[in-house]
Amino acid sequence: MSLYHYIGSSKELPLGERGRRKSSADKSSGKLTKAIQFRSAHLPEGSIPLEQIVDLSHIQEDEIEVYDSMEDAAGIYIQDLGTWSGEIRGHFKNPFVYQIAANWGGFSLHPNLKEHFPEQYKAHVKCIRELFDLMKEYGSNQEFELYTCWDGEEKQRKNEKLHKIIDLKTFQLGDEFELKDKQYILIKT
């Protein structure tokens, strides 16, 4: 099962990806990407590089996306829902509803993540900031809605106890944040 995140808006939002920053060393050409490289990645002592385990000679340099760090690769992806979405649209007041996904990160922050996986933590922070920046960019003085639920549970009711209102003019992202299952969040810009 997958946990899906949705955003509701009073106006159309741009579809596709936003937030990734490729490295200046990237030579990918727009062909189908077969590999991704993080220049900041370091193998723990005693580890064997992937090239010594698997033959990667069939992958050309222009088929590899290169990022300086996982944080640079992180971003969000906005997707139109399509016709199957009646069940999820019922959770929103706004007419435009999209599925959103985090690339190379997520929509949750916890102190343990920061302590044990600092690179992933930075990627998660970036995904959350990209989401909030999208709302600031497209929503001057309007309200957005966020909702999260598990695949197959779109018909189930929202958890009223988890409802939240966030005013982006005063909101500060701390060490803990999460888009929780069945949580409805009203975002004011």
Side-chain angles (χ1 to χ4, degrees):
M1 264 177 137
S2 296
L3 190 63
Y4 289 117
H5 309 285
Y6 303 92
I7 185 170
S9 173
S10 63
K11 57 176 135 177
E12 289 186 65
L13 297 177
L15 301 179
E17 190 278 328
R18 64 181 275 141
R20 291 190 302 171
R21 276 191 325 261
K22 289 185 181 180
S23 171
S24 59
D26 181 79
K27 293 182 175 52
S28 60
S29 63
K31 285 185 184 179
L32 178 65
T33 300
K34 293 185 178 175
I36 294 176
Q37 177 186 24
F38 299 120
R39 297 182 73 198
S40 67
H42 298 284
L43 290 176
E45 193 171 319
S47 297
I48 301 171
L50 185 61
E51 304 82 43
Q52 293 179 14
I53 300 170
V54 178
D55 178 16
L56 301 174
S57 63
H58 64 285
I59 300 176
Q60 305 299 310
E61 189 174 27
D62 63 350
E63 298 171 321
I64 302 170
E65 288 185 7
V66 179
Y67 298 92
D68 290 329
S69 67
M70 185 182 294
E71 180 181 9
D72 287 339
I76 62 173
Y77 191 83
I78 305 159
Q79 177 179 320
D80 198 14
L81 290 182
T83 57
W84 59 268
S85 60
E87 295 165 347
I88 202 66
R89 288 183 191 277
H91 294 290
F92 293 87
K93 296 179 280 186
N94 281 310
F96 298 101
V97 180
Y98 305 90
Q99 185 175 350
I100 52 173
N103 292 336
W104 292 102
F107 297 121
S108 64
L109 299 177
H110 300 283
N112 284 344
L113 181 66
K114 185 176 186 177
E115 181 181 342
H116 298 292
F117 303 99
E119 285 295 311
Q120 288 90 339
Y121 180 83
K122 290 176 188 175
H124 283 236
V125 168
K126 184 175 177 194
C127 291
I128 294 166
R129 289 184 197 258
E130 283 295 332
L131 177 60
F132 289 158
D133 288 348
L134 169 78
M135 290 184 267
K136 288 176 184 174
E137 186 178 329
Y138 285 89
S140 179
N141 294 318
Q142 78 162 333
E143 295 179 343
F144 289 88
E145 302 164 278
L146 297 175
Y147 184 67
T148 299
C149 68
W150 289 100
D151 181 31
E153 296 182 357
E154 293 84 0
K155 287 182 186 179
Q156 293 183 10
R157 298 174 61 106
K158 301 173 195 171
N159 184 338
E160 304 282 332
K161 294 177 185 173
L162 296 176
H163 280 23
K164 186 188 278 189
I165 296 174
I166 294 176
D167 185 340
L168 283 184
K169 291 177 183 137
T170 59
F171 179 75
Q172 296 290 317
L173 185 61
D175 284 342
E176 288 193 48
F177 179 86
E178 184 175 7
L179 297 181
K180 298 176 183 174
D181 178 36
K182 307 289 184 305
Q183 183 179 43
Y184 173 86
I185 302 175
L186 181 65
I187 307 281
K188 297 181 178 190
T189 59

